[in-house]
Amino acid sequence: MTMRVLLAALICAAPMVSAQEAVKPDCEAQAALVMDVVNGRIDGVRKGKARRTLSKGLDRTAADMLAEWVYTLPEDQLTDEIGTTWKAQCDAL
């Protein structure tokens, strides 16, 4: 009886695993977007312009949060490591 319950649980869980994989974010694209904002800041793009550009591809809240985060980082942290770390965190989800 225990084996039947385990088998039934595995069969029921299989579609949930597939659904979770289907909604996995595109971590490479996210990291590239973050680095676009970082590089823009390095190049002197103002936060408001970065926010407006981000709003074209993200909802307003996400665009505001991302711009705010990048523009509060100390200048010595504006390196490629930000994109690498973002991707690693995203991939870990």
Side-chain angles (χ1 to χ4, degrees), residues 8-88:
L10 289 173
I11 291 171
C12 291
M16 292 188 326
V17 170
S18 296
Q20 287 176 347
E21 289 175 4
V23 296
K24 185 157 176 73
D26 183 350
C27 298
E28 191 75 36
Q30 283 189 14
L33 178 64
V34 168
M35 286 310 300
D36 285 346
V37 178
V38 169
N39 290 327
R41 178 175 169 205
I42 291 169
D43 293 340
V45 173
R46 298 174 75 70
K47 182 171 45 174
K49 183 174 182 180
R51 185 179 288 132
R52 284 189 300 277
T53 301
L54 288 168
S55 293
K56 294 176 185 172
L58 301 173
D59 67 49
R60 183 181 176 116
T61 302
D64 289 348
M65 290 174 68
L66 181 55
E68 194 63 38
W69 176 68
V70 169
Y71 281 80
T72 59
L73 291 171
E75 286 188 32
D76 64 332
Q77 292 182 13
L78 300 176
T79 67
D80 291 339
E81 188 65 28
I82 292 173
T84 302
T85 303
W86 186 283
K87 184 176 180 318

